[in-house]
Amino acid sequence: MIYNVDKETLPREDMEALQLRRLKDLCERVYARVPFYKKKFDEAGITPADIRSLNDLQYLPFTEKQDLRNHYPYGMFAVPKENIVRLHASSGTTGRATVVGYTQRDLDIWAECIARSLMMAGATRRDIIHNAYGYGLFTGGLGVHFGAEKLGATVVPVSGGATRRQISLLKDFGPTVICCTPSYMIFLHETAREMGIDFRELPLKIGVFGAEPWTDEMRRDIEAKTGITAVNIYGLSEVMGPGVSMECHEAQCGMHIYEDHFLPEIIDPSNGKAMGPGETGELVFTTLTKEGIPLIRYRTKDLSSLNYTPCVCGRSTVRMDRIKGRSDDMLIIRGVNVFPSQIESLLLETAGLTPHYQIIVRREGPLDTMEVQVEVDEKMFSDAIKNLQHRERELQKNIKEFLGVTASVKLVEPQSIERSVGKAKRVIDQRGE
């Protein structure tokens, strides 16, 4: 089923005509109302009237997260503060928080995008949705909540944490859809097993997972352990929140971007030049309809690619590949570029290992070193020491062969790596300590 047949199946020519109309209107609005953009346009020597085709997008200035921080809290808003009905903000753990404001129209559009996403996952108004994304300033919980209500489904607003209580609610309330991070889903499964509860005996049939990069190997692991269909949702607070794009349950092959609201590009992160369909680079979004804090060519730092080929689900919107990593999370170890997702793929292809791992980077003298710590399952943990050492050497060899970098591997006992109810912390960089 398709929530908005008109927009989600729009022919490419009609979609591009709609995008151009909305892009022109966006440029007029930000030039007139946001001093930051007026200055950027003037410095680039362009005016809104110069935008005559989608190809002219390349001449518009980029926007980066630091720009939002520099204009904290309200300097990037394009409407009077009395028109803002809700504020969200990032945690600000790596700098000053980024603040995002929403008009009522923004919230209505966001709710529809989430409703589209949930239906794309296979949900309907007859489902009960267990929403374990965090509520509060984080966009995940409230975004999914109001979208689920827009769909007409029943919402269990459990938020994050209190894991054993969540297991009890999953058993007692009988939800059919769960929304959370993929790493938290694995933690829920582990906790349920400790409580003597088999996820496969629960009514759950769909998992909508996002807020952190995850691999197809982790998807297969979750589906095998829980018996659900696991689909990928994408979003970021600055652009809107979750629901910028979504994977359909029919194909499970890339996330459909809601192009009537978000205009995507892929650029080379090193020089900002546009890249072609199928090429991997940095994902950039222009918010075509957002009123509160519209953004032009926002650099997400997320690495992906765009696929314009038809999808079996019947939707015509472009699909973005799952996030391969972040341009600012890339580790450079002795001149070799390494992404956590590459390590994860190798680990999850190895029998006896779990999806719980950490990458620890240190500096020893003039050289950088990398250690991969990964939990083994109970069966492997009971093996003889020599068997574990053999597996460590095998993993070191695979990492060297496939990634071209030398890493030490340490297999650790089950439950020894700290769990998170939100985004999993995969990399511990100790080079600056």
Side-chain angles (χ1 to χ4, degrees):
M1 297 177 64
I2 298 177
Y3 186 85
N4 188 328
V5 175
D6 177 47
K7 293 299 190 291
E8 295 181 70
T9 63
L10 205 59
R12 176 58 40 191
E13 182 179 338
D14 294 339
M15 178 64 78
E16 291 181 353
L18 174 64
Q19 290 174 329
L20 180 57
R21 290 196 302 272
R22 290 180 169 177
L23 178 61
K24 289 179 176 180
D25 174 71
L26 169 67
C27 291
E28 294 282 357
R29 284 190 289 120
V30 299
Y31 190 77
R33 301 177 187 176
V34 184
F36 167 81
Y37 280 120
K38 185 178 188 307
K39 181 181 178 183
K40 282 281 192 178
F41 275 49
D42 291 345
E43 288 174 349
I46 59 175
T47 69
D50 294 325
I51 305 304
R52 299 183 179 90
S53 72
L54 290 180
N55 190 53
D56 293 331
L57 184 66
Q58 64 182 309
Y59 304 119
L60 294 175
F62 288 112
T63 309
E64 303 202 26
K65 177 170 282 197
Q66 191 58 46
D67 296 323
L68 276 69
R69 290 175 175 154
N70 291 343
H71 293 82
Y72 174 92
Y74 305 133
M76 296 288 283
F77 285 16
V79 298
K81 286 196 289 291
E82 56 265 29
N83 290 358
I84 297 293
V85 298
R86 191 194 299 171
L87 295 173
H88 281 284
S90 71
S91 61
T93 54
T94 57
R96 178 179 279 179
T98 54
V99 178
V100 184
Y102 300 78
T103 66
Q104 187 57 56
R105 182 170 179 267
D106 290 336
L107 293 181
D108 292 342
I109 289 173
W110 188 11
E112 184 186 310
C113 287
I114 292 291
R116 292 186 195 181
S117 299
L118 292 171
M119 185 166 283
M120 201 180 295
T124 71
R125 63 183 304 276
R126 294 182 293 276
D127 283 293
I128 300 175
I129 298 176
H130 183 98
N131 184 13
Y133 284 119
Y135 282 64
L137 289 177
F138 174 62
T139 56
L142 287 172
V144 169
H145 184 108
F146 288 104
E149 291 186 341
K150 178 83 170 177
L151 180 64
T154 302
V155 189
V156 182
V158 68
S159 192
T163 302
R164 296 180 80 85
R165 178 171 176 267
Q166 294 216 26
I167 299 299
S168 297
L169 295 177
L170 287 168
K171 184 172 180 289
D172 297 342
F173 290 2
T176 47
V177 180
I178 185 169
C179 302
C180 62
T181 64
S183 56
Y184 190 54
M185 182 63 182
I186 293 171
F187 187 31
L188 284 168
H189 173 264
E190 290 179 345
T191 305
R193 190 173 56 182
E194 292 171 1
M195 296 170 65
I197 296 172
D198 185 352
F199 253 77
R200 289 179 162 277
E201 295 178 358
L202 299 176
L204 278 178
K205 60 181 182 180
I206 298 167
V208 178
F209 304 125
E212 64 186 13
W214 56 302
T215 61
D216 276 321
E217 288 79 12
M218 184 179 284
R219 185 216 300 276
R220 289 192 288 270
D221 183 60
I222 290 173
E223 290 183 336
K225 288 176 176 176
T226 64
I228 67 173
T229 298
V231 288
N232 202 355
I233 190 170
Y234 174 82
L236 60 167
S237 297
E238 298 86 351
V239 173
M240 182 183 70
V244 171
S245 68
M246 179 69 195
E247 189 174 55
C248 63
H249 71 92
E250 294 95 336
Q252 289 183 289
C253 184
M255 293 167 280
H256 291 270
I257 297 172
Y258 304 125
E259 293 182 85
D260 49 324
H261 299 297
F262 312 107
L263 181 57
E265 302 173 79
I266 296 291
I267 64 167
D268 183 331
S270 66
N271 58 27
K273 300 296 184 184
M275 302 181 72
E279 295 183 302
T280 297
E282 182 181 342
L283 188 61
V284 174
F285 280 111
T286 296
T287 62
L288 296 174
T289 56
K290 201 167 184 186
E291 294 180 333
I293 181 167
L295 299 177
I296 289 179
R297 304 193 78 194
Y298 183 74
R299 297 188 61 163
T300 68
K301 306 298 183 183
D302 291 330
L303 299 176
S304 185
S305 59
L306 297 179
N307 178 3
Y308 287 88
T309 60
C311 183
V312 296
C313 73
R315 293 172 179 86
S316 59
T317 47
V318 65
R319 285 172 286 163
M320 56 178 275
D321 195 10
R322 68 168 55 250
I323 300 302
K324 297 177 175 64
R326 289 180 55 82
S327 60
D328 55 357
D329 278 354
M330 180 179 70
L331 297 171
I332 302 178
I333 308 297
R334 302 187 188 184
V336 179
N337 297 342
V338 179
F339 293 97
S341 59
Q342 296 173 312
I343 300 288
E344 180 179 300
S345 293
L346 288 174
L347 296 179
L348 292 181
E349 289 173 355
T350 305
L353 302 186
T354 75
H356 303 293
Y357 68 94
Q358 286 186 327
I359 301 168
I360 302 171
V361 185
R362 303 182 180 95
R363 179 157 288 149
E364 298 180 2
L367 299 176
D368 292 334
T369 64
M370 182 172 71
E371 178 182 89
V372 179
Q373 297 184 359
V374 56
E375 287 184 15
V376 298
D377 60 22
E378 296 286 353
K379 182 179 179 182
M380 180 179 285
F381 186 62
S382 65
D383 284 352
I385 294 295
K386 64 179 182 180
N387 292 337
L388 294 175
Q389 292 174 338
H390 172 74
R391 191 59 60 89
E392 287 177 341
R393 291 192 295 270
E394 184 180 50
L395 278 171
Q396 287 177 201
K397 179 182 177 184
N398 288 343
I399 291 173
K400 178 66 174 178
E401 287 182 353
F402 288 99
L403 302 183
V405 64
T406 300
S408 63
V409 175
K410 183 178 181 181
L411 301 183
V412 300
E413 64 182 289
Q415 305 294 322
S416 60
I417 292 178
E418 184 179 358
R419 304 298 193 260
S420 172
V421 299
K423 299 181 181 181
K425 186 172 179 59
R426 301 299 195 192
V427 178
I428 300 175
D429 194 336
Q430 299 178 344
R431 286 177 290 188
E433 297 180 3

